[in-house]
Amino acid sequence: GSDDIIAGNVSKHIVLPAGYCGQPKKGHLIFDACFESGNLGRVDHVTEFEYDLFIRPDTCNPRFRVWFNFTVENVKESQ
C-alpha cells in the first residue's frame, strides 16, 4: 500500500505494462532518482499515460513530502 516504507531511490527503473514480455519499446518510461536530492522511491504503471509515483520523505523531516526530483527517459512523441 501507499503507507509502505520506501527505503531507496529508483535507479534507471523501466516501467512495463503488466504482462508485457520482451525488450522495452519507445514509450516504456525509464525513471531515475539515483542522484543527490533524488527522492522517487517507487513507480507503478496504471495505463499508457498514467503512473503512480511514490515520493520518499525528506531525510530530515519524514512527515512531509513537499518536493520531488527525478528524471524520465524513453518517452515517445505525444506521450
Side-chain angles (χ1 to χ4, degrees), residues 1 6-7 11-12 16 19 23 32 34 50-51 63 69-71 73:
I6 301 171
S11 178
K12 295 288 182 181
L16 300 172
Q23 294 293 322
D32 187 32
C34 195
E50 184 179 353
Y51 297 82
R63 290 185 50 206
N69 193 2
F70 58 90
T71 64
E73 300 174 34

Side-chain angles (χ1 to χ4, degrees), residues 11-74:
S11 178
K12 295 288 182 181
H13 178 67
I14 301 170
V15 182
L16 300 172
Y20 179 83
C21 295
Q23 294 293 322
K25 298 187 287 187
K26 196 76 166 169
H28 291 156
L29 301 183
I30 302 170
F31 292 85
D32 187 32
C34 195
F35 48 86
E36 186 175 351
S37 78
N39 68 338
L40 183 61
R42 191 175 100 209
V43 180
D44 293 343
H45 181 269
V46 178
T47 68
E48 180 182 3
F49 300 106
E50 184 179 353
Y51 297 82
D52 284 338
L53 306 178
F54 296 85
I55 304 300
R56 288 187 320 98
D58 190 313
T59 303
C60 296
N61 194 348
R63 290 185 50 206
F64 298 103
R65 292 174 175 93
V66 296
W67 55 274
F68 54 90
N69 193 2
F70 58 90
T71 64
V72 181
E73 300 174 34
N74 204 37

